[in-house]
Amino acid sequence: TDDTAMTDSAEKHDNEGRLEQLRQALDSGDAHQVRNLLSGLHSAEIADLLESFPHGPRETLWELVDPDDLGETLVEVNDEVRAGLIDNMETHDLVAATEGLDADDLADLIQDLPGDVIQETLRAMDKQNRDRLVSVLHYPEDTAGGLMNVDVVTVRADVSIDVVLRYLRLHIDIPETTDSLFVVDRDDHFKGVLTLSAILTNDPDRLVAEVMNSDVTGIPAEMDDAKVAKLFENLNLVSAPVLDDEGKLIGRITIDDVVDVIRGDADHSLLSLAGLDEEDDTFAPVVKSARRRAVWLGINLFTAFLASWVIGLFQATIEQVVALAVLMPIVASMGGIAGSQTLIIVIRGLALGHIGVSNARWLMYKELAVSALNGIAWAMVVALISGLWFKNPDIGYIIGAALVINLLCAAVAGLAIPFVLTRLNIDPAHAGTVILTTVTDVVGFLVFLGLGTVFLL
C-alpha cells in the first residue's frame, strides 16, 4: 500500500540520517554526542546501526553503548556480528550484559558465549531463572519450545474473577504482550485461556471456569517455528500457550517472537538464492567474504563448463552456421527466466505449506500450460525476427521449436527440483537456482544446436 511504502521510506531515511550523524560524531571523536544519539534508541535500532558499520568504527560504537542495553543488543544482532562483539568483551562485562534478560533471549545468546562466561552467568542466576533457562535450552531453537518465553501468568479454573484481579495486583508488573492468562489445573495441565477483556467485562463473582475460553489448543513444544508463524498468521494470535508431551503448560509465544521468525525466514530465502547466509556480516573482512562466496562461484563454474562442453559437441555445426552461435543465448536465457519463475513459486509454496505431494500434479499441469502458451507466443516473435535477421526461415523455425521445448523443460525442472532437494534434506532456496540454470542451459543448447545440426546441415 501507499501508506506502507511511505512508512518504509521514512524509516529508511531515519536510518540513513542516524548513520550519517554517528559517522560524523565518530570521525570527530565526540564520544558524548555518540552516547546521546544512542541513548534514545531501542536495542534493535542499535543492532541495525552496528551491522551497518565496518570493523573499527563498529567496535568504537559498541564501547559507547549504554551498559544496560548491551544484553538486548547482543540478542538482536546477527550471529557473525555478535561473535565479533563478544570476542572483544571482558568476562565480567558479558556476565553483566546477561543479567535481566528473558529466558528465551538468554537461551539465544548463551550458546555463543565462552565456556567460562556461561558458568559465571549460571552461577549468578537464582534457581527459578536457571530452571527457566534449562527448560528453553532443552528444545532446538527453531521449535516452539526454543522460541517460547517461560515467564507466564497462570490461574486456576475454580477461583473467581475477583481473586484473579487481586492476584494480578500483587504482581509488580506482568509480562510484556500479555493479552490473556492461562488456566491450568494443580498439575499444570493446560485447560484454557482467560483474556484480559473477559476479566474486565465480567462480574467479579463469576468463576474463571465460566468465562474462560476452553477451545484454545496449545502449541506442541516440538512444532517447527515456521509452522508456529503460520498458525499465528492464520488465527491472528497475539500470544499462544506452549505445551509439553503431557499437555502441561511450559511457556508462551508472543507475536514479537513470531515477527522475528518471519523476518529471519524471509532473509534466509532471499540470500539463499545467491548462496549466502542471513547471519553473514555485511562488513565481514574481504578474505573471509571472498572465501565464503568462492564455493558457489566454483559450483557455478563447473556447471558453466558443462554447458560449454555441450556447445563443443556441435562445434562443426556452429562453424558452418554462425547464426546459431549468435542466437544460442536467447534460448538459454528464456528457459532460465521461465524456470526461475516456477522455482520461486514452488519454493514459496513449500515454505507456506500450500504445496505438497497431493496437489503437485495440478501445479505441474498449470505450469506446463503457462509455459506452453508463453513458449508458443514468444517463439513466434523470436522466429519471425530471427528469420528476417538472417534471411533464412529455417533458422526461425528451429529457434522457435527450441524455445518451446526449453520452456516446457524449465517448467518441469522448476517444479521437480525443490521437491527432490527437500527429500534429500537440502534447502531448495540454496541450491535450486544453480541446478535449474544448469538444466535450462544444457537442454537449451542441446535442443537448439541439435535441431540446427539435423535441419541445416
Side-chain angles (χ1 to χ4, degrees):
T1 64
D2 291 341
D3 289 342
T4 302
M6 290 177 63
T7 301
D8 291 343
S9 177
E11 290 177 352
K12 180 180 178 182
H13 179 73
D14 287 343
N15 288 336
E16 291 177 351
R18 292 191 192 112
L19 277 173
E20 181 59 23
Q21 287 179 311
L22 283 171
R23 187 192 63 79
Q24 292 178 0
L26 288 172
D27 289 345
S28 65
D30 191 345
H32 180 70
Q33 183 182 1
V34 173
R35 288 193 179 93
N36 285 340
L37 290 170
L38 295 175
S39 62
L41 300 180
H42 187 273
S43 56
E45 294 174 314
I46 298 174
D48 282 339
L49 291 170
L50 287 166
E51 292 176 2
S52 302
F53 275 95
H55 291 273
R58 176 186 293 163
E59 282 69 31
T60 303
L61 185 64
W62 180 240
E63 293 175 358
L64 298 174
V65 174
D66 190 315
D68 292 337
D69 295 329
L70 292 179
E72 294 286 352
T73 304
L74 281 174
V75 172
E76 296 290 346
V77 294
N78 70 46
D79 289 351
E80 190 168 333
V81 173
R82 180 189 303 156
L85 296 175
I86 288 174
D87 285 343
N88 293 321
M89 293 180 68
E90 299 292 336
T91 298
H92 65 275
D93 291 329
L94 283 170
V95 174
T98 62
E99 294 179 0
L101 289 178
D102 292 335
D104 58 335
D105 289 335
L106 185 54
D108 292 336
L109 177 60
I110 200 168
Q111 300 176 65
D112 295 326
L113 299 176
D116 58 334
V117 177
I118 294 177
Q119 295 301 321
E120 288 290 335
T121 300
L122 293 176
R123 276 197 292 267
M125 298 173 66
D126 58 39
K127 184 179 185 303
Q128 182 183 34
N129 285 324
R130 188 160 52 246
D131 291 343
R132 288 175 173 177
L133 176 61
V134 170
S135 67
V136 176
L137 290 174
H138 177 71
Y139 299 97
E141 62 179 350
D142 59 351
T143 63
L147 192 65
M148 70 179 179
N149 193 324
V150 294
D151 187 11
V152 296
V153 180
T154 61
V155 295
R156 301 281 174 78
D158 56 355
V159 301
S160 67
I161 298 296
D162 182 58
V163 171
V164 173
L165 287 170
R166 285 189 277 118
Y167 170 66
L168 290 177
R169 292 189 188 104
L170 291 176
H171 283 67
I172 298 175
D173 54 20
I174 59 176
E176 294 182 1
T177 327
T178 296
D179 64 322
S180 57
L181 311 183
F182 299 123
V183 184
V184 297
D185 62 17
R186 294 184 181 276
D187 296 319
D188 288 328
H189 289 100
F190 177 71
K191 296 300 181 182
V193 167
L194 178 65
T195 64
L196 295 184
S197 60
I199 295 174
L200 295 174
T201 58
N202 279 280
D203 190 320
D205 293 330
R206 297 190 68 182
L207 296 179
V208 169
E210 298 174 341
V211 298
M212 73 178 189
N213 183 357
S214 57
D215 294 330
V216 175
T217 302
I219 297 176
E222 302 290 347
M223 179 180 284
D224 182 81
D225 60 1
K227 293 182 180 179
V228 173
K230 186 65 178 177
L231 194 64
F232 268 69
E233 178 187 356
N234 290 341
L235 302 181
N236 295 321
L237 300 176
V238 175
S239 66
V242 180
L243 312 182
D244 66 9
D245 295 337
E246 299 177 354
K248 292 184 178 181
L249 179 71
I250 56 175
R252 68 179 184 128
I253 295 175
T254 56
I255 187 63
D256 55 323
D257 300 317
V258 173
V259 169
D260 291 338
V261 173
I262 295 172
R263 178 175 178 177
D265 287 346
D267 290 345
H268 173 75
S269 298
L270 175 64
L271 293 172
S272 289
L273 293 174
L276 302 176
D277 193 301
E278 70 273 18
E279 297 297 343
D280 290 347
D281 181 2
T282 303
F283 293 97
V286 172
V287 174
K288 187 174 184 179
S289 295
R291 186 170 59 247
R292 183 184 295 136
R293 300 183 195 183
V295 175
W296 286 97
L297 289 174
I299 294 173
N300 186 71
L301 181 62
F302 170 77
T303 62
F305 272 118
L306 179 61
S308 297
W309 175 74
V310 172
I311 295 172
L313 297 176
F314 299 94
Q315 185 174 351
T317 302
I318 296 172
E319 289 175 352
Q320 295 184 48
V321 187
V322 179
L324 296 179
V326 176
L327 297 173
M328 276 194 309
I330 296 176
V331 179
S333 176
M334 291 292 284
I337 293 297
S340 295
Q341 292 171 337
T342 301
L343 181 75
I344 292 172
I345 288 173
V346 175
I347 290 175
R348 177 180 180 273
L350 288 173
L352 296 176
H354 294 168
I355 298 175
V357 177
S358 60
N359 59 2
R361 181 176 297 180
W362 296 342
L363 184 61
M364 174 67 79
Y365 293 151
K366 179 249 185 179
E367 290 300 316
L368 285 173
V370 170
S371 293
L373 287 175
N374 277 327
I376 293 171
W378 287 109
M380 294 173 62
V381 173
V382 173
L384 178 62
I385 295 174
S386 301
L388 294 175
W389 185 0
F390 294 99
K391 298 180 175 59
N392 186 344
D394 289 341
I395 290 179
Y397 300 146
I398 290 171
I399 193 172
L403 203 60
V404 173
I405 294 172
N406 200 25
L407 259 65
L408 291 174
C409 290
V412 174
L415 184 70
I417 288 171
F419 279 98
V420 173
L421 292 176
T422 300
R423 183 68 62 88
L424 296 174
N425 292 322
I426 299 174
D427 187 352
H430 223 114
T433 305
V434 175
I435 298 175
L436 176 68
T437 301
T438 303
V439 171
T440 54
D441 283 355
V442 169
V443 171
F445 294 146
L446 189 62
V447 171
F448 182 47
L449 296 177
L451 290 174
T453 300
V454 172
F455 293 102
L456 296 179
L457 294 184

